[in-house]
Amino acid sequence: MPTKTLQIPTTDGQADAFAAFPDRGERRPGVLLYMDAIGVRPVLREMARELAEHGYYVLVPNLYYRHGPAPVIELPEHIGAEIRPAVFAQLMPLIEAHTTERALRDADAYLRFLTTRPEVSAGPVAVIGYCMGAVLAMRTAAAHPDQVAAVAGFHPGPLVTDAPDSPHRLVPKLTAQVHLGLAENDLTPEAISELNQALDAAGVGYTSEIYPGTVHGFTMSDTDAFNPSALQLHWDRLLPLLDRTLANG
């Protein structure tokens, strides 16, 4: 499965990214994949390649590009409980600098880049994300309803907050079909209820599900949170969603 390192022009510079896609010459539907808070690293490359094997062009930008190319901080091969606090102490300034305003500007650039790749077919795209990337996926889909036909978020960050631009308040702007795969500790029952009520009221086609026996980060095989059966469930939910909405092949 070919992968290619790319530079995406943004209003604030050049975002480094990588893409994975089938090397059979046909144009394929585009998928924008937002990283989790830990950043672009081998586990995300593996996931992008897996997705590309199912016939998609998958673009994975380094959201922290303003601070340098990925990996912006040195990451161990496995992020266990004993080193997680030190890793996140380095990551927090990067996370905090990635404001909603910056994220939305970047989303414009990422989608413009993705949809103009010669390997990407005309038509709608999907946006998927993990952890904080799931929040960005929802924001991107709400900001670009004419382009995004599917949005999926796994072990998401805060989707229901008191902020005026909380992701759950953006739901009426969605035209995408939605899947949310939650860890058991991601959202309170009250927040899940509020989010589902917003999706219902907006008439959005969605599934929202707590993956059993999981903790936040369950898809990431380089962390202690990893849950192999939940990762498989994530593929079992994600691939049919993309197949339904992107008319692959």
Side-chain angles (χ1 to χ4, degrees), residues 11-56:
T11 53
D12 294 336
Q14 297 270 328
D16 55 300
F18 76 89
F21 51 93
D23 191 22
R24 294 189 291 277
E26 313 103 317
R27 297 171 74 190
R28 294 292 185 169
V31 177
L32 175 59
L33 190 159
Y34 280 129
M35 67 193 209
D36 62 352
I38 297 169
V40 175
R41 59 200 192 281
V43 66
L44 287 175
R45 292 177 186 274
E46 287 167 29
M47 291 169 82
R49 275 196 288 265
E50 170 89 14
L51 195 47
E53 282 175 9
H54 291 275
Y56 299 98

Side-chain angles (χ1 to χ4, degrees), residues 4 47 63 94 98 113 185 193 212:
K4 189 183 283 188
M47 291 169 82
L63 303 184
L94 311 183
H98 197 66
F113 185 85
N185 62 341
S193 175

Side-chain angles (χ1 to χ4, degrees), residues 56 177-179 207 237 239-248:
Y56 299 98
Q177 291 188 35
V178 177
H179 175 72
T207 52
R237 297 292 186 262
L239 293 170
L241 170 69
L242 299 182
D243 200 41
R244 261 196 327 272
T245 53
L246 301 187
N248 189 9

Side-chain angles (χ1 to χ4, degrees), residues 10 41 135 140 190:
T10 76
R41 59 200 192 281
V135 177
T140 300
E190 295 76 18

